[in-house]
Amino acid sequence: MSKKIQSQEVTEGRDRAPHRAMFRAMGYDDDDLASSMIGIANPAADITPCNVHLDDVADSAREGVEDAGGMPIEFGTITVSDAISMGTEGMKASLISREVIADSVELISFAERMDGLITLGGCDKNMPGMMIASIRADLPSVFLYGGSIMPGSFQGEEVTIQNVFECVGATAKGEMTEEELDELERNACPGPGACGGMFTANTMSSITEAIGFAPLGSASPPAEDEERYEVARRAGELAVEAVEERRRPSDFLSKRSFENAIALQVAVGGSTNAVLHLLAMAAEADIDLSIDEFDDVSRRTPKIADLQPGGEKVMNDLHEVGGVPVILKALYDADLLHGDAMTVTGKTIGEEIERIDPPAIDEIDAEFLYTVDEPKNEQGAIRILKGNLAPGGAVLKVTADEDIHHEGPARIFGNEEDAMEYVQTEGAETGDVIIVRNEGPSGGPGMREMLGVTSAVAGQGHSEDVALITDGRFSGATRGLSIGHVAPEAYDGGPIAALEDGDTVTVDIAERELSVDLSDDEIHERLEERDDPEPNYTSGVLAKYGESFASAEYGAYTNPGIDRG
């Protein structure tokens, strides 16, 4: 069997002499042109510390491809820094960047007739964007994470970007000085890598192991650790092997591998954004996955890792005791993981866990890890709430009390900026239910994350007695009673659009309820009286993607070939 899948279309035969001439101009020789062509999709940029070092990681991946006898071809794509765009209009581009990344990598691999892919990711939307591209292209693909940042140090304590966001609120309240905030700012992020907590980047990188897109143990080595570059070289070798074995995403992705990904997410207290991304990935893979199944898995899977934002520890702490495989082994041994789900290595995840034999949690001296029998929480961290305010569902990550029942008056804001001004100038009040609407996939467009608002509330000491509810999103660094992805969104006439100041809203975590004290008739009458909103953008990329997004309950994908539900 030829090593190639489709690159022979541009490298073989007399008629392809002009094509080969172009390759030779870039230094490729006869041996290269006879080999399988492995694309290395690299979103390196000076835009974010998450991606600033990815050229070095890509170089190691290239070495691995060459050592295995493949022909590496590196190409670029975009990234957005969520942390830098946070709290601005620019954050509307973040979710759209997931789609642009997927579109661009799919296009290049299609146009240049590549045989396989190594897709790199550093920041939040890189990872689902890259995996979506691999699913669409259905070429043998390996995902490669750039690694996370080391924690910073402030007043003798380890800190992350989460602390900086929350201390803005503390400073506004007068509990921290401007000078202390400045010192924290200068020391929180000491170098390259993605945000260190179990925020969206580390949630999605961990999921790449659980779902089968990356080898076990590849998610946790820090960005600046030599082990990160060993992982990259192995990814290069594995990509060539996957091409030779014709091992495609459609061969190893299944309903069971997605359930494994969800189990990992809820066990480590992962980001709510993973709900959105896994739904979109499943839709692209034509795998039937509903938002309710996240709740089903969370009910049966305990939370056994206590990392930031709910806890104090970061990804590097997990790496030092064995990394993500430690969590996967605990779930596997408790029959909470489908051990027969295939992976990119050609082996099942159960076989891979047994091969590397990570330590059991009860053998590890790590106060942030818990056993399945004596977990941090009896249920996983993700809750899907429903009710007359969110008939299509809403998503909450539990970071503290599992049984909060919160009832209070709605304070309505038409965008994130107005909500932030209220919190910063007037101060959130115990019992508040802050509603931020018109921030959904289509209404924003782009479903902004609102770490600034949630951090300001938490920084003022209200993380458990003030609820924030939005049809937008919350950062993976968010903690507290923050409920996002409300569907249908306000722009599409969802019940959240009918709310008025003073309406009584109920959040009941134990009962998975999100409701307002209005009858169906009252909600319908208010929506009937509402004028249809005008789009915020009528041209350019935000308008184009804003018109294409499906509802958050389906993953906010934009592929026109998928049933929008």
Side-chain angles (χ1 to χ4, degrees), residues 295 299 379 383-386 508-513:
D295 205 69
R299 286 179 186 271
Q379 296 184 21
R383 303 286 191 276
I384 305 301
L385 310 184
K386 288 194 170 182
D508 192 316
I509 296 179
E511 297 298 322
R512 268 63 168 185
E513 178 188 353

Side-chain angles (χ1 to χ4, degrees), residues 26-276:
M26 296 181 284
Y28 293 104
D29 60 20
D30 288 347
D31 288 342
D32 294 319
L33 293 167
S35 304
S36 54
M37 187 186 298
I38 309 296
I40 302 176
N42 179 10
D46 293 340
I47 291 170
T48 170
C50 310
N51 291 42
V52 71
H53 64 302
L54 290 188
D55 280 337
D56 294 334
V57 177
D59 285 345
S60 291
R62 176 185 286 270
E63 291 173 8
V65 172
E66 291 172 341
D67 289 346
M71 176 182 173
I73 297 184
E74 187 176 341
F75 62 94
T77 186
I78 69 162
T79 189
V80 166
S81 172
D82 287 5
I84 293 175
S85 63
M86 193 75 67
T88 75
E89 192 81 352
M91 187 65 200
K92 293 181 178 182
S94 174
L95 185 59
I96 292 173
S97 77
R98 181 190 77 178
E99 303 302 298
V100 173
I101 290 167
D103 291 350
S104 63
V105 175
E106 178 193 8
L107 278 171
I108 295 297
S109 62
F110 175 80
E112 305 305 320
R113 315 313 289 158
M114 290 175 176
D115 299 310
L117 288 169
I118 299 169
T119 58
L120 275 69
C123 204
D124 296 8
K125 309 309 172 296
N126 300 171
M127 282 157 273
M130 292 295 186
M131 287 187 282
I132 287 170
S134 295
I135 291 168
R136 290 184 191 164
D138 202 28
L139 292 173
S141 302
V142 179
F143 180 81
L144 173 58
Y145 183 41
S148 58
I149 195 171
M150 296 297 287
S153 178
F154 174 69
Q155 296 183 350
E157 300 290 334
E158 290 189 348
V159 291
T160 69
I161 193 68
Q162 174 193 354
N163 301 97
V164 185
F165 273 101
E166 292 189 359
C167 286
V168 171
T171 303
K173 195 176 178 181
E175 296 179 350
M176 187 174 191
T177 67
E178 295 283 353
E179 291 74 20
E180 288 173 322
L181 181 61
D182 180 72
E183 181 186 352
L184 174 61
E185 169 195 327
R186 295 174 186 276
N187 291 281
C189 300
C195 299
M198 192 52 69
F199 310 151
T200 304
N202 279 321
T203 299
M204 292 307 301
S205 69
S206 300
I207 280 172
T208 65
E209 293 190 30
I211 204 169
F213 255 116
L216 298 194
S218 61
S220 64
E224 297 183 280
D225 195 297
E226 178 56 34
E227 192 175 347
R228 171 55 50 202
Y229 299 92
E230 294 172 8
V231 166
R233 284 186 284 273
R234 170 61 181 141
E237 295 168 355
L238 182 57
V240 175
E241 175 191 311
V243 170
E244 292 175 350
E245 298 295 328
R246 299 301 196 258
R247 198 179 301 138
R248 303 172 186 265
S250 58
D251 295 322
F252 63 79
L253 290 179
S254 65
K255 181 65 172 287
R256 294 166 82 80
S257 58
F258 275 87
E259 289 176 347
N260 285 347
I262 298 169
L264 185 281
Q265 174 197 7
V266 302
V268 299
S271 168
T272 55
N273 283 313
V275 176
L276 198 73

Side-chain angles (χ1 to χ4, degrees), residues 205-219 257 259-268 301 304-305 318 322-339 343 348-350 352-354 356-361 369-370 372:
S205 69
S206 300
I207 280 172
T208 65
E209 293 190 30
I211 204 169
F213 255 116
L216 298 194
S218 61
S257 58
E259 289 176 347
N260 285 347
I262 298 169
L264 185 281
Q265 174 197 7
V266 302
V268 299
T301 308
I304 57 174
L318 182 59
V324 176
V326 170
I327 307 299
L328 294 174
K329 175 181 171 60
L331 299 177
Y332 176 65
D333 288 347
D335 292 327
L336 296 170
L337 203 71
H338 299 300
T343 75
T348 67
I349 193 167
E352 287 294 318
I353 291 170
E354 291 172 0
I356 65 173
D357 192 25
I361 286 177
L369 295 181
Y370 300 77
V372 169

Side-chain angles (χ1 to χ4, degrees), residues 277-289:
H277 300 324
L278 286 170
L279 286 169
M281 289 166 56
E284 296 281 359
D286 196 25
I287 290 171
D288 184 19
L289 184 70

